[in-house]
């Protein structure tokens, strides 16, 4: 939150520059994603997670140091976003592959619900104080707090003692990691993702959701700070509400999955999320109290639906994927999602000033609604369970 605030308020970034900043980490993710997935399937995941945390802590620390020395500029923000985005991608792929090894496949829904709940709790506290930190101490100092949080994460991961079974080397890659073996392993991940009808639908659903997120990335911050003229402090409190609804959704996600079936629960999540996103379009200008109230409603509804969708989507993908291919399936699906989010950012940056931020946000809400309705009619919409033997085999 602090980086886009720093760009918009301290460096007076334009809509195009905000779009470029929002795209920097996604470009990095797209560049390293498939390769990172193959690497995750070759090595132990916990040391990789710790290394990514330490690298991101160092990168983020450069922003407050540059601000204190009077050298902060948009170029540095872009570089930090790009490099940290690469480590974000590697961390997330390793995390997805590591979770089933820690909890076992039969507890994936419970584990993903708890992870989503802790993430939502962190979102509540972080957003709750981030806006005020930016307003009181400036964005770069808030980013320093973020850097410290990655050090804490590394320490916590370092304290885990769950045994991790070494990955089984792919054929032809037990000795030297040749370029041919890397390409073969990446192709195997692509085939496992897009050759399986269920994995393919999951990947497309995630991509459409990320297309919407890209549109919002390009326009939302400018919409709330310029069109609605809302200050950073209250906005941070508004964003924290999304964490509360995500926490509630995580609590009820397993029960909803059992009652409706995992496919219908996912579709419901997307439809509810689209309703929340649509509420943002209706936010009135020149009425601060009313605008904040509407945005609170948008965060509560939209983030709850998003959490419901992601919990079951992640669980279904993990349960369906063979253990030796989890990193690569995650990277293939992630690459499509990143490309879709980049497309949304580019479109939002290109047309945001011409059509207006409100119009772009409305398009994004419509895409998510159509994705939810399409998911309901797909093979995923008929899915009832998440971890049966026939799904994994």
């Amino acid at each position: 939150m602090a980086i886009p605030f720093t760009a918009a308020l301290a460096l007076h970034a334009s809509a195009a520059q905000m779009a470029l900043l929002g795209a920097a980490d996604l470009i990095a993710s797209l560049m390293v994603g498939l390769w990172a997935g193959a690497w995750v399937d070759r090595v132990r995941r916990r040391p990789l997670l710790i290394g990514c945390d330490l690298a991101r802590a160092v990168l983020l620390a450069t922003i407050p140091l540059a601000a204190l020395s009077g050298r902060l500029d948009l170029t540095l923000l872009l570089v930090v976003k790009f490099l940290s985005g690469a480590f974000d991608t590697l961390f997330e792929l390793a995390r997805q592959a590591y979770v089933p090894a820690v909890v076992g496949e039969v507890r994936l829904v419970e584990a993903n619900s708890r992870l989503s709940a802790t993430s939502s709790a962190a979102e509540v506290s972080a957003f709750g104080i981030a806006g005020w930190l930016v307003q009181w101490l400036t964005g770069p100092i808030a980013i320093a707090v973020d850097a410290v949080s990655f050090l804490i994460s590394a320490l916590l991961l370092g304290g885990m003692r769950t045994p991790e079974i070494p990955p089984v080397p792919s054929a032809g890659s037990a000795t030297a990691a040749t370029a041919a073996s890397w390409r073969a392993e990446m192709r195997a991940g692509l085939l496992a993702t897009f050759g399986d009808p269920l994995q393919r639908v999951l990947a497309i659903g995630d991509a459409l959701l990320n297309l919407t997120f890209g549109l919002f990335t390009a326009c939302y911050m400018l919409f709330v700070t310029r069109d609605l003229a809302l200050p950073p402090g209250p906005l941070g409190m508004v964003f924290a509400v999304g964490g509360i609804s995500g926490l509630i959704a995580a609590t009820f996600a397993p029960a909803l999955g059992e009652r409706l079936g995992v496919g219908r629960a996912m579709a419901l999540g997307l439809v509810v999320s689209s309703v929340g996103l649509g509420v943002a379009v209706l936010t009135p200008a020149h009425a601060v109290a009313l605008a904040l109230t509407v945005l609170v409603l948008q965060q509560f509804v939209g983030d709850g639906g998003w959490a419901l969708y992601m919990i079951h989507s992640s669980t279904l993908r993990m349960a369906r994927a063979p253990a030796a291919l989890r990193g690569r399936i995650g990277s293939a699906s992630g690459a499509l999602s990143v490309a879709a989010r980049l497309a949304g950012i580019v479109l939002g940056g290109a047309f945001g000033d011409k059509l207006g931020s409100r119009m772009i946000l409305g398009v994004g809400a419509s895409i998510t609604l159509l994705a939810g309705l399409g998911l309901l009619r797909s093979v995923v919409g008929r899915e009832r369970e998440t971890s049966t033997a026939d799904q994994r085999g």
Side-chain angles (χ1 to χ4, degrees):
M1 182 178 176
I3 289 181
F5 265 139
T6 300
L9 300 178
L11 301 179
H12 308 291
S14 65
Q17 288 173 327
M18 290 293 289
L20 181 60
L21 184 64
D25 55 342
L26 298 177
I27 294 172
S29 179
L30 192 60
M31 291 176 63
V32 307
L34 295 178
W35 167 83
W39 190 24
V40 164
D41 286 335
R42 289 171 176 255
V43 301
R44 293 180 185 269
R45 281 70 183 248
R46 188 169 69 96
L48 197 57
L49 294 170
I50 295 171
C52 289
D53 274 340
L54 295 175
R56 289 181 290 183
V58 171
L59 285 167
L60 289 171
T62 62
I63 295 176
L65 291 175
L68 291 173
S69 63
R71 298 180 179 179
L72 180 63
D73 58 18
L74 189 64
T75 300
L76 177 62
L77 294 184
L78 288 169
V79 171
V80 171
K81 283 274 284 183
F82 179 85
L83 294 178
S84 62
F87 287 107
D88 285 344
T89 300
L90 189 56
F91 182 96
E92 180 59 22
L93 292 173
R95 184 197 67 80
Q96 291 178 17
Y98 189 46
V99 168
V102 174
V103 303
E105 294 185 4
V106 297
R107 299 183 64 194
L108 278 178
V109 174
E110 179 186 0
N112 282 321
S113 295
R114 291 185 177 185
L115 286 170
S116 179
T118 56
S119 177
S120 297
E123 182 181 346
V124 171
S125 58
F127 277 134
I129 65 173
W132 297 112
L133 285 177
V134 172
Q135 188 167 318
W136 293 338
L137 304 177
T138 73
I141 302 302
I143 294 168
V145 176
D146 196 16
V148 173
S149 75
F150 282 111
L151 294 177
I152 296 173
S153 175
L155 288 172
L156 291 172
L157 287 168
M160 292 181 65
R161 292 293 179 264
T162 304
E164 184 181 0
I165 300 174
V168 179
S170 300
S173 62
T175 53
T178 64
S181 70
W182 282 109
R183 289 194 296 270
E185 291 183 32
M186 287 187 285
R187 280 197 300 270
L190 290 170
L191 289 173
T193 302
F194 298 105
D196 179 352
L198 188 144
Q199 292 282 10
R200 183 169 61 247
V201 171
L202 289 175
I204 293 173
D206 286 0
L208 291 174
L209 188 58
N210 275 274
L211 177 61
T212 295
F213 287 164
L215 294 171
F216 269 66
T217 296
C219 297
Y220 188 81
M221 192 63 73
L222 294 178
F223 176 63
V224 296
T225 59
R226 296 183 183 176
D227 294 3
L228 304 182
L230 299 177
L235 277 175
M237 302 298 291
V238 168
F239 297 154
V241 173
I244 296 174
S245 67
L247 184 60
I248 295 172
T251 302
F252 291 100
L256 278 173
E258 291 181 4
R259 184 176 181 84
L260 302 177
V262 62
R264 290 181 179 178
M266 289 170 58
L268 175 63
L270 283 182
V271 172
V272 170
S273 182
S274 72
V275 172
L277 296 174
V279 169
V281 182
L282 304 177
T283 308
H286 311 299
V288 173
L290 182 57
L292 289 173
T293 301
V294 174
L295 289 178
V296 164
L297 178 62
Q298 177 258 314
Q299 287 287 318
F300 188 83
V301 175
D303 278 33
W306 174 83
L308 178 62
Y309 169 80
M310 289 305 301
I311 288 168
H312 288 295
S313 174
S314 299
T315 300
L316 192 55
R317 179 176 290 110
M318 290 177 184
R320 184 76 179 224
L325 288 168
R326 284 190 179 119
R328 280 167 283 176
I329 288 176
S331 68
S333 176
L336 180 61
S337 292
V338 169
R341 184 175 291 205
L342 276 171
I345 290 175
V346 170
L347 291 172
F351 296 102
D353 289 334
K354 297 177 181 178
L355 301 179
S357 298
R358 196 181 296 270
M359 176 67 74
I360 299 298
L361 299 183
V363 171
S366 301
I367 291 172
T368 304
L369 176 61
L370 293 175
L373 297 176
L375 187 70
L376 189 62
R377 297 176 61 85
S378 71
V379 62
V380 172
R382 299 188 294 272
E383 197 72 19
R384 297 291 306 177
E385 304 292 338
T386 58
S387 59
T388 61
D390 59 309
Q391 285 174 330
R392 291 193 301 272

